[in-house]
Every structure is written in structure tokens, then in C-alpha cells.
Amino acid sequence: MNSILVLHGPNLNLLGTRQPEVYGTTTLEMVNSACVAHGQSRGLSVVCLQSNHEGALVDAIHAAKGVHVGIVLNAGAYTHTSIALRDALSSVELPVVEVHLSNIHARESFRHVSHIAPVALGQICGFGAQGYLLALDALAEHLAARNA
Ligand code: CA2
């Protein structure tokens, strides 16, 4: 079965425990379970990882090559700062869908910039945890079209 890596960046381990008005009440564990179940319904196995460390996220992206067929990435605040993550994504040449729980374009101007977007298939933001499932659908459709 094709496998997808769902990768979460810094502070997303706090999901559902603080700032529910911005990030909702769903915990990361709930998001991950929903991703695994949704992937299964689309014939994809899903592996979820979270790290607060930029280098660990880079390592996870490198390790995805040859193991996973695509990546769903919420890089958290590294979205707006990390050229290292962008370079890692470029180097592995896997299809990536960028996800954000909040609508980053409706927030502070520093969140409007994404270093991930130029190397992603697309960006889904503002739909809360549902965005991860939309991202899995987008990846599944992309992979099916590519393999047709
Ligand atoms: O909206 C998103 O998903 C973000 O990637 C979340 C990041 C933020 O820096 C990005 O601009 C947009 C922050 C993640 C922090 O997550 C928390 C969750 C619960 C409580 C506190 C932080």
C-alpha cells in the first residue's frame, strides 16, 4: 500500500490544549487518528510525525524518500522562516501538500509568506483539522492521475 507522511512542525503537539479560539479543540492525536482512518479509506497508509526541531523535520523529509510517496506538511512557524525545509523538500522530489489549521492570509503579515508554497503542489489553510483530510484527498488524486 502506498504510504504518506503527515509531518507536523513546532508547537503543534499543543493542539487542543491551548488557544482553542485560533487552533480549535482537536488534539494532535485526534488529527493523526483521523488521517490514518482517512488514508485507509483511500487505500493509503499514513505515518504521522511531529517535531519542534527544524533539523529533525529536515531529517524526516530526507528519510521519506523511497519510503513514502508523498508528504502532507504543516511546518508551523517554520513555514515562514525555513529555507532549510524548502531545500529538503526540493531535494526529495516528493509531492507535498502544505496545510495550516488557520487561514494564514487573514492573520499577521509575517504569516502571509510561505517558503513551502513554491515547492508544494498547493496549500490548504483555514479549515482546521479538516485541512489534513483535504490534503490527503488532494495527494491521492494527484498520485492517481500521475499513475493513470
Ligand atoms: O495555522 C497553522 O496551522 C499554523 O501552521 C500554526 C503555527 C503558526 O505559527 C503558523 O503561522 C500557522 C503555530 C502552531 C502552534 O500550535 C499551537 C496549538 C495550540 C496551542 C498553541 C500553539
Side-chain angles (χ1 to χ4, degrees), residues 10-12 14-16 18-19 23 74 76-77 80 99-102 104 107 111:
N11 297 308
L12 287 160
L14 300 176
L15 213 55
R18 298 185 208 155
Q19 290 182 259
Y23 298 117
N74 183 349
H80 320 299
V99 172
H100 299 284
L101 298 153
S102 62
I104 56 174
R107 300 182 64 191
R111 293 186 206 275

Side-chain angles (χ1 to χ4, degrees), residues 50-138:
Q50 186 274 334
S51 178
N52 293 322
H53 304 280
E54 189 175 16
L57 294 166
V58 169
D59 287 343
I61 292 166
H62 291 173
K65 183 86 183 164
V67 176
H68 302 288
V69 294
I71 301 175
V72 171
L73 175 63
N74 183 349
Y78 288 143
T79 303
H80 320 299
T81 62
S82 180
I83 293 164
L85 284 182
R86 175 193 165 136
D87 286 349
L89 292 168
S90 296
S91 75
V92 295
E93 295 178 322
L94 287 169
V96 181
V97 179
E98 177 183 357
V99 172
H100 299 284
L101 298 153
S102 62
N103 179 356
I104 56 174
H105 303 288
R107 300 182 64 191
E108 304 96 322
S109 58
F110 65 83
R111 293 186 206 275
H112 300 177
V113 175
S114 168
H115 291 298
I116 309 301
V119 295
L121 291 175
Q123 182 191 71
I124 296 168
C125 68
F127 295 102
Q130 181 71 18
Y132 287 90
L133 309 187
L134 297 172
L136 286 169
D137 286 341

